[in-house]
Amino acid sequence: MTSSRDLLIELEQVVEQNLNRHLATAKEWFPHEYVPWSDGTNFDGPLGGEPWAPEQSRLSDVARTSLIVNLLTEDNLPSYHHEIATLFGRDGAWGTWVHRWTAEEGRHGIAIRDYLLATRAVDPVELERARMTHMQSGFTNAYADQTSLHGIAYVSFQELATRVSHRNTGKISGDPICDQLLAKVAADENLHMVFYRNLLAAAFELDPDAAMRAVCDVVTTFQMPGHGIENFTRKSVQIAVAGIYDLRIHHDEVVIPVLRNVKAMETTGLSSEGEKARDELAAFLGELDRQATRFTEKRAARAARQG
Ligand SMILES: [Fe+2]
Ligand SMILES: [Fe+2]
């Protein structure tokens, strides 16, 4: 098995190619163009405006919850930057990517917060307090004591999960302006996913055993980046019931597409250790699929009962 450090060096060329591809593909966009500023008015406090009240929000309860979860997740960028920079380093192509990625991620929180405040969609005091609490607890890479491939595998799935979550939140928001804004954010997340997924595919060629182990560990223990948000479990149930992000979506639209793209299940040249990891992964996927079916059946039955 190649050491983590050697693997990062070996991947540097792939990073450079994908960085160039990313820069050629990513289109510049401006968050301010997506925010309905003329809907906005001053708040109470030094400016003496109108205090926030729940009836000012046009969003449904679940749309609000999902937007808040997504925004708080984006807000924790300083912690993600720290983790990614520690993992990949800040030199060469890796470093250029780390800084570019950070700059792109930075506009997501800006765009969503501006939208929520201009439209009075959320309680601004509660939102600010939630941001303070969440950022103060930070985010740590759950795979920090494992290989750098674990980190690459995690972000491949995580960027896609984030993409789907933004996209579906926009769809259920009932506001075409919000939908349009979140589609732009989701498009950024998609390009991030492609970048990391291409690295993961290259890792499967360089060191199939290590890549399989990393993917198995990450998929079987996956948690959303915002899992540290206060009351995250209750919020994620609400988000799942609304069909914004549930086990079926996680299995069908996040885990399976990445595995398929990197041809994980068809990997050849595995040692018995690699085979073991693949078997563990296959067993987990079967169970995830069964749980997803159970969840959607229960949800449909409840919806039928409620007429
Ligand atoms: Fe983001
Ligand atoms: Fe992203």
Side-chain angles (χ1 to χ4, degrees):
M1 197 194 276
T2 341
S3 81
S4 258
R5 173 122 213 98
D6 289 348
L7 197 91
L8 288 182
I9 293 167
E10 284 190 71
L11 280 175
E12 176 117 28
Q13 235 186 356
V14 186
V15 171
E16 198 171 333
Q17 284 159 10
N18 277 279
L19 175 65
N20 291 334
R21 188 197 43 74
H22 177 86
L23 294 175
T25 319
K27 281 196 205 79
E28 186 182 33
W29 68 280
F30 299 97
H32 75 273
E33 293 175 354
Y34 292 81
V35 176
W37 297 104
S38 60
D39 290 1
T41 50
N42 290 350
F43 287 101
D44 53 334
L47 301 186
E50 198 192 345
W52 184 83
E55 60 275 11
Q56 293 163 355
S57 174
R58 299 188 297 255
L59 293 178
S60 68
D61 206 38
V62 64
R64 197 158 43 232
T65 300
S66 193
L67 274 153
I68 291 171
V69 166
N70 289 355
L71 173 54
L72 293 175
T73 302
E74 297 288 349
D75 278 339
N76 234 354
L77 179 60
S79 271
Y80 308 140
H81 171 84
H82 173 84
E83 295 298 302
I84 294 270
T86 306
L87 183 65
F88 297 153
R90 296 174 62 183
D91 307 320
W94 280 109
T96 309
W97 167 258
V98 166
H99 293 114
R100 169 72 192 204
W101 172 87
T102 303
E104 290 186 10
E105 287 294 352
R107 66 185 166 218
H108 299 165
I110 294 170
I112 298 171
R113 175 168 284 98
D114 286 349
Y115 167 81
L116 291 176
L117 295 181
T119 60
R120 290 188 172 246
V122 297
D123 182 337
V125 173
E126 243 182 66
L127 180 68
E128 176 61 5
R129 287 185 178 147
R131 185 189 66 78
M132 287 295 291
T133 304
H134 184 52
M135 287 188 74
Q136 285 179 90
S137 59
F139 170 90
T140 20
N141 168 15
Y143 309 99
D145 55 351
Q146 303 192 50
T147 68
S148 43
L149 266 178
H150 283 76
I152 295 171
Y154 178 71
V155 287
S156 303
F157 295 104
Q158 169 269 313
E159 292 283 359
L160 185 51
T162 314
R163 174 210 183 179
V164 170
S165 174
H166 284 305
R167 192 72 195 90
N168 290 347
T169 301
K171 282 189 200 157
I172 65 112
S173 70
D175 178 3
I177 293 176
C178 180
D179 188 32
Q180 190 171 235
L181 166 71
L182 293 185
K184 289 301 288 181
V185 174
D188 281 354
E189 310 295 20
N190 192 50
L191 287 182
H192 299 160
M193 177 276 290
V194 170
F195 179 90
Y196 292 125
R197 190 191 63 190
N198 288 350
L199 291 190
L200 187 60
F204 263 100
E205 284 178 18
L206 285 169
D207 193 342
D209 283 325
M212 190 61 80
R213 176 40 64 197
V215 164
C216 173
D217 290 349
V218 165
V219 170
T220 55
T221 59
F222 185 84
Q223 279 191 305
M224 287 299 237
H227 68 87
I229 292 169
E230 259 186 319
N231 300 317
F232 181 77
T233 308
R234 189 170 51 75
K235 290 182 164 84
S236 56
V237 168
Q238 202 188 353
I239 288 164
V241 169
I244 297 169
Y245 200 93
D246 58 29
L247 285 179
R248 176 52 59 213
I249 292 170
H250 182 62
H251 176 275
D252 291 4
E253 296 176 37
V254 176
V255 175
I256 297 294
V258 172
L259 292 178
R260 214 169 263 158
N261 187 280
V262 302
K263 301 191 172 70
M265 300 323 255
E266 299 99 79
T267 307
T268 51
L270 291 174
S271 72
S272 59
E273 282 301 301
E275 292 289 358
K276 192 167 155 261
R278 177 156 55 191
D279 290 348
E280 271 175 49
L281 178 61
F284 178 85
L285 292 176
E287 185 50 32
L288 180 63
D289 191 33
R290 277 187 289 280
Q291 279 180 21
T293 303
R294 223 171 296 144
F295 176 79
T296 41
E297 282 172 0
K298 265 202 229 158
R299 183 175 59 194
R302 193 179 323 133
R305 272 200 309 277
Q306 288 168 352

